[in-house]
Amino acid sequence: MTSLRLCPDLPRALGALTLAGLGPLAQAQDPTAPPSVLPAITVTAHKQAQRIEAVAASVTVHDGELLDADGVDRLETLEQITPGLSFQPFGQAGVHSAVMRGVSAQFFSFSSSTLLLVDGVPTLMAQGFEDGLLGVERVEVLRGPQSTLYGRNAEAGVINIQTRQPGNTPRSAVSAGLSSRSGRSLRMELSRPLVQDTLYASFAGDWSRQDGFIDNLETGRRADDRRREQQKLALRWTPDSRTDATLRYARQAFDDGAALWGSPSARRATVRSGTPSWNRSSGDTASLNLARELGGSLSLHSVTAYNLYRDRVQQDTDFEPADRLHIARDHRFRSLSQELRIEDRDARAPWLLGLYADRDNHDLLNVQQMAATSLRSPATLQGHGMALFANGSLPLTARWTLQAGARVERHAIEFQPRGQDRQSTRSTPVSPRLALQYQPGAATALHASLSRGVRAGGFNVFVPAAGYAAYAPEKLQSLELGVKGTLANQRLRYSASLYRMRMDDMQVQQMPQPGLVYITNAARGHATGAELELDWLLGEGWQLQSGMALNRTRLDRFRDGSAVYDGHRNPFAPDASGHLVLRHDAAAGWHVQAQLYATGKVHLDAANRYSRPGYGLLNLQAGQRLGRFEIGAYVRNAADRRYDAVGYQNGNVTVYSPPREFGLRLDWRI
């Protein structure tokens, strides 16, 4: 089910100026007439191109053209248009921990419960879990365990971002914006053939900055100014009809002030900090994607990727004029990966067989400034893994199809604090998946699936008092039932799913004091939930989209010393969330749109002592097309709702929510 309608009229869609965070709705094929049907959607959720109705899994697809036209340039905004997906409140750009179906991960475990994949390049941890959604073809959000095809840390799902391929069709686009708090942004995209039918190149860039909203009463300035830039380059070579190779390079960089942090006891959005706080992190990625037709329906695919992310941060933690308490990080995360797979695209029984290998080499430096001393913890963390995986579909009858897959992965981690002995741990998880699909007609598909997800283990790399204790992989078992299809002569698309998940050896966090994090496998839990999405053409230029997720994630057993957390809510997991979007496109070229997003309360710790309240956001937008230009206005969080996470970091920090924002944007498309 898609929450963004794929737009056949690209010039009109590209010109649409909409609010970042709203799922833009469809434009008509004829600019003077409303769309008559919803278009077909093709995804690569299972690493092979399939109609979305043929995928026996819960998938949401966001079209990149419309995300770009809508001004969606932050990964975390996807939670407002994707049922079952949310992000932990952290307040630092470039570091995000996704929560899928109530399953969350700890920032300092250096592993994620949801995998981010950008053009085949995996991000396996919260650090560097970011993309400006620049030059994107589509974003596929897969819910439920995906470890069979995507490996460790795809325990609860995958966010798969596909960047646009350069080709024979030239493309030029420029977008400039102004917003509240002296915000300004510039985005551009250029794509050209260098040699017709053979060699193509593209470049996309994004530069933005905005003043903060947290007042530092000590310095008289704002504490949390934001500056970001991102560039993407691609060189594509198609020497013949059977070979397609793309070399990509991407860079993102941040030059920010403090995180959106403050003291729970202080006046809201104020600090009295005399400690410089900043985020100067950056990431570089290079990849080579190669596809080669082998004859018949066989093809070979290779993805070689290198990823470097430098997490450079200093942050005050007592928010007082004297520099008594602060934390700092200077981490370098380096990952090299290679995937090689052969696949058969036979329409009746497609299959694939793959080999994956990776190597990590991380240099870690964590600093804790305390009242009387400064503790520096340098260390190295290395890992290497290799996996063999397979997946395929087998038609049982004209209506029944069996889909099956499995992955065997060997993963080793080595950790060495400076000046101390090296420690190591190894694991060999097996991740099977079995799905049965029934299609009673061309417009309806039902599925049932059993699958297993895995999150990698690791070491408590900054806890010398515990001997840097290791923790084991977390395992998740899932049963899902789903239905998807179209109604009303393809004017209504729907998707619904029910699931039950069990988590064993849960990696839970204990924090006896600020900056000291300890992770163990001390818990087990379960999650039960339901999701629903609708996309409905109402006629006469009106369109309605909605999505809803209900989730109950609980800790079945968790004992933290003398504390008993049995039956408590899993941290950062909302029990309910949803969105509703109503849009009208007029034949005269103007549009208006309103979106309501709401989510329930989340707890910030296993004791369920601290929380962020449930909240709703109203986002509004309007725009007018003027030939190749489009000008529009938006307001985010129109009601100026506050939804601070009070009590983060074991009660020591409040993560502030951003205020209402107004903005203008001018788009020019050639």
Side-chain angles (χ1 to χ4, degrees):
M1 173 69 193
T2 178
S3 68
L4 296 175
R5 185 184 185 279
L6 300 184
C7 176
D9 179 37
L10 296 184
R12 185 178 182 191
L14 286 169
L17 172 62
T18 53
L19 167 64
L22 274 67
L25 302 179
Q27 311 293 327
Q29 294 183 10
D30 178 355
T32 63
S36 58
V37 297
L38 294 168
I41 299 174
T42 299
V43 298
T44 55
H46 289 163
K47 294 185 181 283
Q48 293 177 304
Q50 295 175 287
R51 292 181 302 105
I52 195 169
E53 291 80 10
V55 178
S58 187
V59 185
T60 295
V61 181
H62 302 295
D63 178 57
E65 295 280 5
L66 296 179
L67 287 175
D68 181 66
D70 203 31
V72 178
D73 59 358
R74 295 173 298 161
L75 191 68
E76 65 267 32
T77 308
L78 293 177
E79 70 178 3
Q80 298 185 18
I81 50 177
T82 309
L85 172 66
S86 60
F87 289 88
Q88 295 184 29
F90 188 65
Q92 178 192 322
V95 179
H96 298 295
S97 185
V99 182
M100 190 80 78
R101 290 184 168 177
V103 180
S104 58
Q106 312 302 332
F107 284 99
F108 292 101
S109 67
F110 300 131
S111 63
S112 60
S113 60
T114 298
L115 177 71
L116 174 64
L117 202 71
V118 182
D119 297 318
V121 182
T123 296
L124 300 169
M125 61 184 69
Q127 293 78 6
F129 200 104
E130 177 66 286
D131 189 86
L133 303 178
L134 181 66
V136 167
E137 177 71 26
R138 66 182 179 278
V139 178
E140 301 173 1
V141 181
L142 291 75
R143 292 181 290 270
Q146 305 296 327
S147 292
T148 299
L149 285 174
Y150 295 96
R152 67 186 187 278
N153 298 3
E155 177 193 25
V158 170
I159 301 174
N160 183 18
I161 299 175
Q162 299 285 337
T163 304
R164 272 189 285 268
Q165 285 272 58
N168 281 326
T169 303
R171 176 185 178 88
S172 301
V174 178
S175 177
L178 298 173
S179 63
S180 307
R181 308 198 310 275
S182 301
R184 51 267 203 210
S185 64
L186 176 66
R187 287 168 73 96
M188 62 179 298
E189 187 176 354
L190 179 67
S191 179
R192 291 288 187 274
L194 303 180
V195 179
Q196 196 76 9
D197 299 324
T198 303
L199 191 64
Y200 327 88
S202 67
F203 169 78
D206 177 20
W207 300 265
S208 65
R209 61 188 304 169
Q210 188 173 38
D211 293 346
F213 64 90
I214 300 174
D215 291 321
N216 189 338
L217 304 180
E218 176 70 12
T219 65
R221 298 190 297 269
R222 297 294 172 90
D224 58 316
D225 293 348
R226 291 288 183 264
R227 182 180 297 179
R228 183 186 71 186
E229 65 176 67
Q230 183 179 22
Q231 296 88 36
K232 292 183 177 181
L233 297 98
L235 184 65
R236 183 184 179 197
W237 183 46
T238 56
D240 53 55
S241 60
R242 300 171 58 189
T243 306
D244 194 331
T246 303
L247 181 65
R248 295 186 183 276
Y249 170 75
R251 175 174 174 79
Q252 56 183 337
F254 308 93
D255 188 5
D256 300 341
L260 307 184
W261 288 13
S263 171
S265 61
R267 180 163 61 90
R268 186 183 187 275
T270 65
V271 296
R272 290 187 177 274
S273 177
T275 304
S277 297
W278 40 262
N279 170 22
R280 298 168 187 159
S281 302
S282 62
D284 296 270
T285 300
S287 65
L288 175 63
N289 293 56
L290 175 64
R292 173 72 177 177
E293 302 293 335
L294 301 178
S297 55
L298 290 177
S299 61
L300 181 69
H301 294 260
S302 171
V303 181
T304 307
Y306 175 74
N307 195 1
L308 167 64
Y309 191 80
R310 185 172 184 181
D311 184 29
R312 295 187 63 216
V313 173
Q314 180 169 290
Q315 176 63 50
D316 192 3
T317 53
D318 65 358
F319 313 105
E320 295 296 331
D323 186 9
R324 289 194 294 262
L325 295 175
H326 77 251
I327 57 174
R329 305 189 302 270
D330 190 354
H331 301 332
R332 292 174 182 262
F333 301 102
R334 293 178 289 262
S335 299
L336 178 66
S337 64
Q338 173 66 58
E339 180 176 286
L340 190 66
R341 68 180 188 270
I342 186 171
E343 63 183 52
D344 189 339
R345 300 188 307 276
D346 180 84
R348 285 185 51 81
W351 58 266
L352 64 83
L353 179 66
L355 180 68
Y356 174 85
D358 63 13
R359 180 172 293 274
D360 301 326
N361 186 7
H362 307 325
D363 294 325
L364 310 176
L365 175 59
N366 201 61
V367 179
Q368 298 179 43
Q369 175 66 47
M370 302 179 187
T373 185
S374 178
L375 178 63
R376 295 171 62 88
S377 303
T380 61
L381 187 68
Q382 297 178 330
H384 61 271
M386 181 168 289
L388 180 67
F389 61 94
N391 193 72
S393 298
L394 178 65
L396 303 177
T397 69
R399 299 183 184 274
W400 291 91
T401 302
L402 179 67
Q403 300 180 11
R407 186 186 191 99
V408 180
E409 186 165 7
R410 179 68 170 171
H411 186 230
I413 303 173
E414 295 181 345
F415 169 65
Q416 185 172 21
R418 182 174 296 176
Q420 301 190 39
D421 293 337
R422 178 173 300 191
Q423 303 182 52
S424 64
T425 181
R426 287 170 171 76
S427 61
T428 309
V430 179
S431 306
R433 183 179 185 274
L434 186 67
L436 187 64
Q437 187 174 57
Y438 174 64
Q439 292 187 277
T444 307
L446 298 90
H447 72 267
S449 67
L450 286 167
S451 55
R452 189 186 196 201
V454 177
R455 186 193 311 170
F459 289 91
N460 284 278
V461 298
F462 303 124
V463 193
Y468 307 103
Y471 50 90
E474 179 176 298
K475 298 173 285 294
L476 184 151
Q477 314 286 339
S478 175
L479 169 64
E480 178 180 309
L481 304 175
V483 60
K484 63 185 71 173
T486 59
L487 296 170
N489 295 321
Q490 296 185 350
R491 297 179 63 85
L492 172 65
R493 178 177 284 120
Y494 66 91
S495 174
S497 60
L498 301 171
Y499 60 87
R500 170 80 175 185
M501 303 189 301
R502 187 188 73 212
M503 293 82 75
D504 296 312
D505 296 324
M506 291 181 68
Q507 297 171 8
V508 289
Q509 176 176 288
Q510 301 167 36
M511 187 179 296
Q513 65 184 66
L516 182 60
V517 179
Y518 186 76
I519 299 172
T520 67
N521 299 101
R524 65 172 183 263
H526 72 275
T528 306
E531 295 153 351
L532 173 66
E533 289 184 275
L534 295 174
D535 190 353
W536 192 2
L537 297 178
L538 302 175
E540 298 184 359
W542 290 93
Q543 188 168 354
L544 175 72
Q545 291 179 343
S546 64
M548 179 180 66
L550 303 175
N551 175 274
R552 189 180 187 275
T553 304
R554 299 294 185 268
L555 300 171
D556 294 332
R557 186 183 186 278
F558 182 14
R559 284 164 173 69
D560 182 8
S562 61
V564 178
Y565 299 145
D566 298 3
H568 283 211
R569 297 185 181 189
N570 197 36
F572 309 110
D575 280 354
S577 62
H579 69 274
L580 180 68
V581 186
L582 181 64
R583 177 177 176 117
H584 177 65
D585 285 279
W590 57 267
H591 74 269
V592 292
Q593 180 170 305
Q595 182 214 34
L596 178 65
Y597 167 71
T599 185
K601 175 181 179 179
V602 298
H603 290 281
L604 308 177
D605 63 329
N608 290 179
R609 186 181 304 115
Y610 307 106
S611 64
R612 184 191 68 187
Y615 63 93
L617 297 179
L618 176 63
N619 302 315
L620 304 172
Q621 64 180 25
Q624 174 68 56
R625 191 180 68 252
L626 302 168
R628 292 181 177 178
F629 292 89
E630 180 123 358
I631 188 169
Y634 66 81
V635 55
R636 303 170 184 164
N637 188 12
D640 200 20
R641 289 297 304 273
R642 297 178 178 179
Y643 46 99
D644 301 339
V646 181
Y648 191 66
Q649 298 275 316
N650 202 31
N652 294 283
V653 170
T654 291
V655 182
Y656 295 123
S657 61
R660 176 172 48 212
E661 179 180 317
F662 298 92
L664 297 172
R665 181 175 162 184
L666 177 65
D667 291 342
W668 178 42
R669 300 288 187 265
I670 301 176

